[in-house]
Amino acid sequence: MIYKQSNLKKEKYARSVNLNQSIANLKISIIIPTLNESKNIKATLASTQASRNVEVIVVDGGSQDNTVDIAKSFGVTVISGYQNRASQMNAGAMNATGDILLFLHADTLLPANFDTMIRTALQQPIVVAGAFSLRINAAKAGLRLVEWGVKWRSKCLQMPYGDQGIFLSKEKFNNIGGFPELPIMEDFELIRHLKHLGKITFIPTPVVTSPRRWLKKGILQTTFINQIVIIAYFIGISPKRIRGWYRGEKTN
């Protein structure tokens, strides 16, 4: 009996090791939706370079600047013709050859060893997806409070947003049908679907994102608008109208 139990433990350990080694070798596809991001895309792409077994796919939404030329200079895959971020990211996933998908905003920098951290995070059987901590690249006390709020929301509510670099297996992404084709809140809705399937993990090492949207309208006003957008979405206001409010566009 003792001999059999010992063998069972060894077999279980061997299966665990093989699984971990298998996940450690999985290819990561980084999908970056862009629209007139020439000021940011070079640094973002540079942050992806020191990695192992990774491909980068830039999905452009019709940039009028030299975003596409910069992306091509890095030798990454570039595809065009998709007009909103949800369709861009879905198109990138469709063209991805990796086992793991990482959706990255064009103004967000990945930390060193991000690839190892992602693979390690997804080794946990209960984890279905994950995201990084967030650091906003400006020295303002109000932004530190924003970062604290993001950390609390991500850890306690398991609700990271797209600017934190959402990652998951391609198989899981396909099984839930990808991002819903919404003009806004597509990342929010994706995470809501995934939460029903398992744990959304949180990597404490931050990605570094541009402060531009907080500085443009002000920290308090941007935070307030973000909360109003969520409330409006929950009470059934159309995503098209919400997007118009968020971006200051006229809607019918």
Side-chain angles (χ1 to χ4, degrees), residues 187-205:
D187 53 348
F188 183 87
E189 198 60 39
L190 178 81
I191 293 296
R192 285 183 69 198
H193 278 92
L194 288 167
K195 281 181 66 176
H196 294 296
L197 303 178
K199 180 182 178 181
I200 311 296
T201 195
F202 177 69
I203 295 176
T205 304

Side-chain angles (χ1 to χ4, degrees), residues 2-246:
I2 294 175
Y3 176 75
K4 288 183 178 180
Q5 287 179 342
S6 176
N7 280 347
L8 286 173
K9 287 181 179 179
K10 288 179 180 179
E11 289 174 6
K12 185 176 180 180
Y13 175 76
R15 286 196 298 270
S16 174
V17 169
N18 289 336
L19 176 62
N20 289 345
Q21 288 176 341
S22 176
I23 293 175
N25 292 321
L26 294 181
K27 184 176 183 179
I28 299 174
S29 296
I30 304 173
I31 298 163
I32 308 174
T34 58
L35 180 63
N36 298 324
E37 290 287 358
S38 60
K39 294 181 179 179
N40 299 295
I41 191 64
K42 184 175 182 180
T44 297
L45 290 173
S47 75
T48 71
Q49 299 300 291
S51 54
R52 179 178 58 84
N53 200 17
V54 168
E55 71 172 353
V56 179
I57 302 172
V58 170
V59 190
D60 191 67
S63 294
Q64 299 301 307
D65 60 11
N66 62 339
T67 296
V68 170
D69 291 335
I70 294 172
K72 287 181 177 178
S73 74
F74 277 81
V76 303
T77 300
V78 179
I79 58 178
S80 302
Y82 299 89
Q83 295 305 309
N84 64 58
R85 192 157 62 190
S87 61
Q88 285 175 279
M89 292 188 291
N90 285 335
M94 188 182 302
N95 285 273
T97 61
D99 308 283
I100 298 170
L101 305 177
L102 166 60
F103 297 96
L104 183 68
H105 284 189
D107 62 352
T108 301
L109 310 180
L110 290 166
N113 300 316
F114 71 88
D115 49 333
T116 301
M117 287 185 273
I118 288 173
R119 293 186 183 100
T120 300
L122 291 178
Q123 286 181 1
Q124 304 173 55
I126 62 172
V127 169
V128 295
F132 293 86
S133 178
L134 184 72
R135 181 157 64 87
I136 305 167
N137 195 17
K140 287 183 174 289
L143 293 176
R144 305 292 79 81
L145 290 176
V146 172
E147 293 166 355
W148 178 86
V150 169
K151 181 178 180 180
W152 178 85
R153 187 191 70 224
S154 300
K155 290 188 69 174
C156 299
L157 302 181
Q158 293 189 62
M159 282 298 298
Y161 292 169
D163 53 7
Q164 294 172 249
I166 295 171
F167 57 85
L168 72 166
S169 73
K170 186 176 183 180
E171 180 182 15
K172 191 72 66 179
F173 182 81
N174 289 337
N175 286 345
I176 64 171
F179 283 96
E181 293 285 342
L182 299 173
I184 197 170
M185 302 290 285
E186 73 287 335
D187 53 348
F188 183 87
E189 198 60 39
L190 178 81
I191 293 296
R192 285 183 69 198
H193 278 92
L194 288 167
K195 281 181 66 176
H196 294 296
L197 303 178
K199 180 182 178 181
I200 311 296
T201 195
F202 177 69
I203 295 176
T205 304
V207 292
V208 180
T209 196
S210 166
R212 58 184 175 176
R213 63 190 178 98
W214 286 278
L215 299 184
K216 182 178 180 180
K217 293 182 179 179
I219 297 170
L220 287 177
Q221 184 175 349
T222 300
T223 303
F224 177 74
I225 290 172
N226 289 343
Q227 300 312 307
I228 291 297
V229 164
I230 294 172
I231 293 170
Y233 183 73
F234 272 124
I235 64 175
I237 295 175
S238 76
K240 182 178 179 181
R241 186 174 292 275
I242 295 172
R243 179 186 175 183
W245 294 345
Y246 186 76

